[in-house]
Short mmCIF file of all heavy atoms in Angstrom, two decimals:
data_model
loop_
_atom_site.label_atom_id
_atom_site.label_comp_id
_atom_site.label_asym_id
_atom_site.label_seq_id
_atom_site.Cartn_x
_atom_site.Cartn_y
_atom_site.Cartn_z
N GLU A 52 14.32 -30.92 1.60
CA GLU A 52 14.28 -32.15 2.33
C GLU A 52 15.60 -32.35 3.08
O GLU A 52 16.67 -32.11 2.57
CB GLU A 52 14.05 -33.33 1.36
CG GLU A 52 13.75 -34.64 1.98
CD GLU A 52 14.99 -35.47 2.22
OE1 GLU A 52 16.02 -35.22 1.64
OE2 GLU A 52 14.89 -36.47 3.02
N GLY A 53 15.47 -32.72 4.32
CA GLY A 53 16.63 -33.07 5.13
C GLY A 53 17.26 -31.88 5.87
O GLY A 53 18.31 -32.01 6.52
N SER A 54 16.67 -30.69 5.74
CA SER A 54 17.23 -29.56 6.44
C SER A 54 16.09 -28.71 7.00
O SER A 54 14.93 -28.81 6.58
CB SER A 54 18.09 -28.72 5.55
OG SER A 54 17.38 -28.24 4.41
N LYS A 55 16.42 -27.94 7.97
CA LYS A 55 15.41 -27.06 8.58
C LYS A 55 15.01 -25.96 7.61
O LYS A 55 15.84 -25.50 6.80
CB LYS A 55 15.89 -26.45 9.88
CG LYS A 55 16.13 -27.38 11.02
CD LYS A 55 16.58 -26.63 12.24
CE LYS A 55 16.70 -27.61 13.47
NZ LYS A 55 17.15 -26.94 14.66
N ALA A 56 13.75 -25.57 7.75
CA ALA A 56 13.31 -24.54 6.85
C ALA A 56 13.95 -23.16 7.20
O ALA A 56 14.35 -22.92 8.35
CB ALA A 56 11.74 -24.38 6.99
N THR A 57 14.11 -22.35 6.17
CA THR A 57 14.65 -21.01 6.37
C THR A 57 13.51 -20.06 6.34
O THR A 57 12.81 -19.92 5.34
CB THR A 57 15.65 -20.68 5.26
OG1 THR A 57 16.71 -21.63 5.29
CG2 THR A 57 16.25 -19.27 5.46
N TYR A 58 13.26 -19.36 7.46
CA TYR A 58 12.13 -18.43 7.54
C TYR A 58 12.59 -17.04 7.20
O TYR A 58 13.71 -16.58 7.48
CB TYR A 58 11.61 -18.47 8.98
CG TYR A 58 10.84 -19.79 9.34
CD1 TYR A 58 11.60 -20.90 9.69
CD2 TYR A 58 9.52 -19.89 9.22
CE1 TYR A 58 10.94 -22.09 9.98
CE2 TYR A 58 8.81 -21.04 9.51
CZ TYR A 58 9.57 -22.16 9.89
OH TYR A 58 8.91 -23.30 10.18
N GLU A 59 11.70 -16.30 6.60
CA GLU A 59 11.90 -14.90 6.36
C GLU A 59 11.77 -14.07 7.65
O GLU A 59 11.11 -14.48 8.59
CB GLU A 59 10.93 -14.40 5.26
CG GLU A 59 11.14 -15.00 3.92
CD GLU A 59 12.53 -14.79 3.35
OE1 GLU A 59 12.84 -13.61 3.08
OE2 GLU A 59 13.23 -15.77 3.19
N GLN A 60 12.38 -12.91 7.59
CA GLN A 60 12.38 -12.08 8.75
C GLN A 60 10.91 -11.72 9.14
O GLN A 60 10.11 -11.36 8.18
CB GLN A 60 13.15 -10.76 8.45
CG GLN A 60 13.44 -9.93 9.68
CD GLN A 60 14.39 -8.80 9.38
OE1 GLN A 60 14.71 -8.53 8.21
NE2 GLN A 60 14.84 -8.10 10.37
N GLY A 61 10.62 -11.80 10.39
CA GLY A 61 9.25 -11.46 10.87
C GLY A 61 8.27 -12.58 10.85
O GLY A 61 7.16 -12.46 11.33
N VAL A 62 8.65 -13.76 10.34
CA VAL A 62 7.79 -14.92 10.30
C VAL A 62 8.09 -15.82 11.53
O VAL A 62 9.26 -16.20 11.70
CB VAL A 62 7.93 -15.71 9.03
CG1 VAL A 62 7.05 -17.00 9.07
CG2 VAL A 62 7.59 -14.88 7.81
N GLU A 63 7.10 -16.05 12.31
CA GLU A 63 7.38 -16.85 13.55
C GLU A 63 7.47 -18.33 13.22
O GLU A 63 6.48 -18.98 12.86
CB GLU A 63 6.17 -16.65 14.49
CG GLU A 63 5.94 -15.21 14.96
CD GLU A 63 4.60 -15.04 15.77
OE1 GLU A 63 4.56 -15.72 16.82
OE2 GLU A 63 3.71 -14.38 15.29
#
Side-chain angles (χ1 to χ4, degrees):
Chain A
E52 191 267 344
S54 60
K55 291 184 178 180
T57 302
Y58 290 82
E59 294 300 298
Q60 191 172 10
V62 177
E63 300 173 60

